[in-house]
Amino acid sequence: MNSARPWPTLVVASALTLICAVAAGVAGSAAGTELTRGPSTAELHAAARFEVAERWRTWPTGRIFPATLPYSAEQGGRERASRIGISPHTACGDSVDAKAVKALRKAGCKGVLRATYIDALRGVLVTVGVVALRDELGAVRAKSAFDDSGKPSPGLRPLAFPGTVSDRFTPAVRQAGSVRQAGPYLVLTTAGQVDGRPAVAAGEQRPAIFAFATEISEHVLADLSTPSMPDCASEEWRC
């Protein structure tokens, strides 16, 4: 006959059951708290950064490139550049000079969006390009591939639309360019005259007539790169 007494085993089993029950209760409470709590400040900032990085893909192109953009006129006052068209193509290698393509790809280029505008006097064309990079560091590195002195090359390739006033806007027509960076974006411009005259035949350079190109690009960049904190009460956000 087995003389071992079973009660210590029963006591231990009962204690373990109690401990497990308490642990399950604590875990359930923690899980419930995790599921019902609002997002933390860090999570909100992370969501805001992610939303900014995806704007080039999620925003309508008409929001990225509005129908008109304001700028300061050369003779004073305010005028507006009008959009001629938006390219449906976003490949990184098709929109910039060959010298810059490798740098963009190395920096994690996701896509390039382009639109062409004309100034209020209808004498100057500007193509604005939005380059989406994988992160801010990539954008900073990619910026160095472009000339920051106002020269158009290496830079953005102009976007012409046949049958419009921009149909002669070719790479040879480019006379000025710019590059700006904020967050994971570069915004590039390239500008030339409507009459299609090559830059080499333009005679005396007049950089002031192209200065508005940089100004309108800064409007585009500011809209794209300025974070918007998530609003859990809004239909645009899921918290």
Side-chain angles (χ1 to χ4, degrees):
M1 184 173 75
N2 188 357
S3 61
R5 291 174 294 183
W7 64 267
T9 303
L10 293 175
V11 171
V12 172
S14 298
L16 289 174
T17 300
L18 178 60
I19 291 171
C20 290
V22 171
V26 170
S29 176
T33 301
E34 182 67 19
L35 289 172
T36 57
R37 72 168 175 83
S40 68
T41 300
E43 289 169 339
L44 289 174
H45 281 287
R49 288 193 298 272
F50 178 80
E51 189 270 335
V52 165
E54 290 297 304
R55 284 176 182 172
W56 75 278
R57 197 188 335 249
T58 59
W59 278 12
T61 52
R63 182 175 179 180
I64 296 171
F65 299 119
T68 65
L69 285 167
Y71 65 91
S72 301
E74 185 181 1
Q75 65 275 18
R78 300 289 286 173
E79 292 181 338
R80 301 188 76 88
S82 300
R83 189 186 69 215
I84 295 174
I86 301 172
S87 174
H89 306 294
T90 63
C92 296
D94 297 340
S95 304
V96 299
D97 290 328
K99 289 182 179 179
V101 172
K102 184 177 179 180
L104 285 190
R105 288 177 173 158
K106 186 176 180 180
C109 180
K110 295 180 177 180
V112 181
L113 310 177
R114 286 187 301 165
T116 293
Y117 287 81
I118 189 169
D119 71 325
L121 297 178
R122 302 189 70 78
V124 176
L125 295 165
V126 179
T127 295
V128 180
V130 170
V131 184
L133 285 306
R134 64 173 166 244
D135 53 30
E136 185 169 2
L137 180 59
V140 171
R141 289 174 174 169
K143 183 181 177 183
S144 64
F146 299 94
D147 193 292
D148 199 20
S149 66
K151 296 179 181 178
S153 180
L156 186 70
R157 295 180 64 81
L159 174 65
F161 292 91
T164 73
V165 70
S166 70
D167 60 4
R168 289 182 289 179
F169 194 22
T170 65
V173 175
R174 296 181 294 180
Q175 294 187 48
S178 69
V179 55
R180 294 291 186 271
Q181 179 271 324
Y185 295 107
L186 295 182
V187 174
L188 311 170
T189 67
T190 190
Q193 297 186 64
V194 172
D195 59 14
R197 75 180 75 177
V200 295
E204 182 182 355
Q205 295 298 306
R206 294 177 56 200
I209 70 172
F210 304 113
F212 79 96
T214 302
E215 189 175 348
I216 66 174
S217 78
E218 288 170 350
H219 283 291
V220 172
L221 182 59
D223 284 346
L224 267 177
S225 63
T226 301
S228 177
M229 288 303 292
D231 178 4
C232 294
S234 170
E235 292 182 358
E236 295 184 8
W237 294 90
R238 291 188 197 173
C239 298

PDB file of all heavy atoms in Angstrom, residues 204-218:
ATOM      1  N   GLU A 204      21.741  87.476 -73.279  1.00  0.00           N
ATOM      2  CA  GLU A 204      21.968  87.836 -71.880  1.00  0.00           C
ATOM      3  C   GLU A 204      20.996  87.091 -70.964  1.00  0.00           C
ATOM      4  O   GLU A 204      19.785  87.086 -71.196  1.00  0.00           O
ATOM      5  CB  GLU A 204      21.794  89.340 -71.689  1.00  0.00           C
ATOM      6  CG  GLU A 204      22.059  89.802 -70.264  1.00  0.00           C
ATOM      7  CD  GLU A 204      21.828  91.288 -70.083  1.00  0.00           C
ATOM      8  OE1 GLU A 204      21.546  91.972 -71.100  1.00  0.00           O
ATOM      9  OE2 GLU A 204      21.912  91.769 -68.949  1.00  0.00           O
ATOM     10  N   GLN A 205      21.542  86.472 -69.960  1.00  0.00           N
ATOM     11  CA  GLN A 205      20.706  85.723 -69.026  1.00  0.00           C
ATOM     12  C   GLN A 205      19.940  86.671 -68.112  1.00  0.00           C
ATOM     13  O   GLN A 205      20.470  87.681 -67.650  1.00  0.00           O
ATOM     14  CB  GLN A 205      21.576  84.779 -68.184  1.00  0.00           C
ATOM     15  CG  GLN A 205      22.260  83.686 -68.996  1.00  0.00           C
ATOM     16  CD  GLN A 205      21.254  82.761 -69.675  1.00  0.00           C
ATOM     17  OE1 GLN A 205      20.379  82.187 -69.042  1.00  0.00           O
ATOM     18  NE2 GLN A 205      21.382  82.631 -70.981  1.00  0.00           N
ATOM     19  N   ARG A 206      18.689  86.334 -67.881  1.00  0.00           N
ATOM     20  CA  ARG A 206      17.846  87.144 -66.983  1.00  0.00           C
ATOM     21  C   ARG A 206      17.278  86.224 -65.912  1.00  0.00           C
ATOM     22  O   ARG A 206      16.127  85.784 -65.987  1.00  0.00           O
ATOM     23  CB  ARG A 206      16.714  87.799 -67.768  1.00  0.00           C
ATOM     24  CG  ARG A 206      17.165  88.825 -68.782  1.00  0.00           C
ATOM     25  CD  ARG A 206      15.971  89.352 -69.559  1.00  0.00           C
ATOM     26  NE  ARG A 206      14.960  89.895 -68.666  1.00  0.00           N
ATOM     27  CZ  ARG A 206      13.680  90.060 -69.010  1.00  0.00           C
ATOM     28  NH1 ARG A 206      13.253  89.700 -70.203  1.00  0.00           N
ATOM     29  NH2 ARG A 206      12.813  90.562 -68.138  1.00  0.00           N
ATOM     30  N   PRO A 207      18.075  85.913 -64.898  1.00  0.00           N
ATOM     31  CA  PRO A 207      17.614  84.965 -63.875  1.00  0.00           C
ATOM     32  C   PRO A 207      16.357  85.403 -63.144  1.00  0.00           C
ATOM     33  O   PRO A 207      15.606  84.569 -62.655  1.00  0.00           O
ATOM     34  CB  PRO A 207      18.817  84.873 -62.917  1.00  0.00           C
ATOM     35  CG  PRO A 207      19.619  86.111 -63.176  1.00  0.00           C
ATOM     36  CD  PRO A 207      19.434  86.424 -64.619  1.00  0.00           C
ATOM     37  N   ALA A 208      16.106  86.716 -63.101  1.00  0.00           N
ATOM     38  CA  ALA A 208      14.931  87.204 -62.362  1.00  0.00           C
ATOM     39  C   ALA A 208      13.623  86.693 -62.954  1.00  0.00           C
ATOM     40  O   ALA A 208      12.651  86.474 -62.229  1.00  0.00           O
ATOM     41  CB  ALA A 208      14.927  88.733 -62.327  1.00  0.00           C
ATOM     42  N   ILE A 209      13.584  86.472 -64.273  1.00  0.00           N
ATOM     43  CA  ILE A 209      12.315  86.044 -64.872  1.00  0.00           C
ATOM     44  C   ILE A 209      11.996  84.589 -64.548  1.00  0.00           C
ATOM     45  O   ILE A 209      10.867  84.146 -64.728  1.00  0.00           O
ATOM     46  CB  ILE A 209      12.291  86.267 -66.406  1.00  0.00           C
ATOM     47  CG1 ILE A 209      13.233  85.298 -67.115  1.00  0.00           C
ATOM     48  CG2 ILE A 209      12.615  87.706 -66.752  1.00  0.00           C
ATOM     49  CD1 ILE A 209      13.102  85.329 -68.635  1.00  0.00           C
ATOM     50  N   PHE A 210      13.016  83.862 -64.074  1.00  0.00           N
ATOM     51  CA  PHE A 210      12.789  82.462 -63.712  1.00  0.00           C
ATOM     52  C   PHE A 210      12.684  82.259 -62.194  1.00  0.00           C
ATOM     53  O   PHE A 210      12.457  81.139 -61.740  1.00  0.00           O
ATOM     54  CB  PHE A 210      13.925  81.590 -64.254  1.00  0.00           C
ATOM     55  CG  PHE A 210      14.130  81.699 -65.732  1.00  0.00           C
ATOM     56  CD1 PHE A 210      15.282  82.265 -66.257  1.00  0.00           C
ATOM     57  CD2 PHE A 210      13.151  81.251 -66.617  1.00  0.00           C
ATOM     58  CE1 PHE A 210      15.476  82.368 -67.626  1.00  0.00           C
ATOM     59  CE2 PHE A 210      13.332  81.347 -67.989  1.00  0.00           C
ATOM     60  CZ  PHE A 210      14.495  81.917 -68.496  1.00  0.00           C
ATOM     61  N   ALA A 211      12.856  83.318 -61.438  1.00  0.00           N
ATOM     62  CA  ALA A 211      12.902  83.194 -59.977  1.00  0.00           C
ATOM     63  C   ALA A 211      11.599  82.652 -59.392  1.00  0.00           C
ATOM     64  O   ALA A 211      11.598  81.972 -58.360  1.00  0.00           O
ATOM     65  CB  ALA A 211      13.231  84.543 -59.346  1.00  0.00           C
ATOM     66  N   PHE A 212      10.485  82.928 -60.052  1.00  0.00           N
ATOM     67  CA  PHE A 212       9.200  82.479 -59.521  1.00  0.00           C
ATOM     68  C   PHE A 212       9.102  80.957 -59.496  1.00  0.00           C
ATOM     69  O   PHE A 212       8.309  80.384 -58.727  1.00  0.00           O
ATOM     70  CB  PHE A 212       8.040  83.056 -60.343  1.00  0.00           C
ATOM     71  CG  PHE A 212       7.776  82.345 -61.641  1.00  0.00           C
ATOM     72  CD1 PHE A 212       6.799  81.363 -61.728  1.00  0.00           C
ATOM     73  CD2 PHE A 212       8.521  82.650 -62.774  1.00  0.00           C
ATOM     74  CE1 PHE A 212       6.557  80.705 -62.918  1.00  0.00           C
ATOM     75  CE2 PHE A 212       8.286  81.991 -63.969  1.00  0.00           C
ATOM     76  CZ  PHE A 212       7.297  81.018 -64.045  1.00  0.00           C
ATOM     77  N   ALA A 213       9.920  80.286 -60.324  1.00  0.00           N
ATOM     78  CA  ALA A 213       9.868  78.819 -60.369  1.00  0.00           C
ATOM     79  C   ALA A 213      10.203  78.231 -59.007  1.00  0.00           C
ATOM     80  O   ALA A 213       9.542  77.301 -58.526  1.00  0.00           O
ATOM     81  CB  ALA A 213      10.830  78.295 -61.425  1.00  0.00           C
ATOM     82  N   THR A 214      11.249  78.763 -58.377  1.00  0.00           N
ATOM     83  CA  THR A 214      11.624  78.272 -57.048  1.00  0.00           C
ATOM     84  C   THR A 214      10.527  78.561 -56.044  1.00  0.00           C
ATOM     85  O   THR A 214      10.224  77.734 -55.167  1.00  0.00           O
ATOM     86  CB  THR A 214      12.938  78.935 -56.585  1.00  0.00           C
ATOM     87  OG1 THR A 214      13.963  78.654 -57.544  1.00  0.00           O
ATOM     88  CG2 THR A 214      13.354  78.419 -55.225  1.00  0.00           C
ATOM     89  N   GLU A 215       9.901  79.728 -56.168  1.00  0.00           N
ATOM     90  CA  GLU A 215       8.843  80.098 -55.218  1.00  0.00           C
ATOM     91  C   GLU A 215       7.646  79.150 -55.309  1.00  0.00           C
ATOM     92  O   GLU A 215       7.121  78.715 -54.284  1.00  0.00           O
ATOM     93  CB  GLU A 215       8.404  81.538 -55.473  1.00  0.00           C
ATOM     94  CG  GLU A 215       7.460  82.067 -54.395  1.00  0.00           C
ATOM     95  CD  GLU A 215       7.129  83.534 -54.580  1.00  0.00           C
ATOM     96  OE1 GLU A 215       7.792  84.225 -55.388  1.00  0.00           O
ATOM     97  OE2 GLU A 215       6.191  84.003 -53.901  1.00  0.00           O
ATOM     98  N   ILE A 216       7.228  78.805 -56.501  1.00  0.00           N
ATOM     99  CA  ILE A 216       6.073  77.907 -56.596  1.00  0.00           C
ATOM    100  C   ILE A 216       6.450  76.495 -56.143  1.00  0.00           C
ATOM    101  O   ILE A 216       5.618  75.769 -55.589  1.00  0.00           O
ATOM    102  CB  ILE A 216       5.428  77.903 -58.000  1.00  0.00           C
ATOM    103  CG1 ILE A 216       6.362  77.319 -59.057  1.00  0.00           C
ATOM    104  CG2 ILE A 216       4.958  79.297 -58.380  1.00  0.00           C
ATOM    105  CD1 ILE A 216       5.697  77.166 -60.431  1.00  0.00           C
ATOM    106  N   SER A 217       7.722  76.122 -56.352  1.00  0.00           N
ATOM    107  CA  SER A 217       8.143  74.799 -55.884  1.00  0.00           C
ATOM    108  C   SER A 217       8.116  74.728 -54.362  1.00  0.00           C
ATOM    109  O   SER A 217       7.831  73.675 -53.784  1.00  0.00           O
ATOM    110  CB  SER A 217       9.543  74.468 -56.401  1.00  0.00           C
ATOM    111  OG  SER A 217      10.560  75.131 -55.668  1.00  0.00           O
ATOM    112  N   GLU A 218       8.415  75.842 -53.708  1.00  0.00           N
ATOM    113  CA  GLU A 218       8.407  75.858 -52.248  1.00  0.00           C
ATOM    114  C   GLU A 218       6.984  75.720 -51.697  1.00  0.00           C
ATOM    115  O   GLU A 218       6.785  75.157 -50.628  1.00  0.00           O
ATOM    116  CB  GLU A 218       9.084  77.128 -51.745  1.00  0.00           C
ATOM    117  CG  GLU A 218      10.608  77.089 -51.955  1.00  0.00           C
ATOM    118  CD  GLU A 218      11.294  78.412 -51.704  1.00  0.00           C
ATOM    119  OE1 GLU A 218      10.575  79.438 -51.552  1.00  0.00           O
ATOM    120  OE2 GLU A 218      12.538  78.437 -51.648  1.00  0.00           O
TER     121      GLU A 218
END
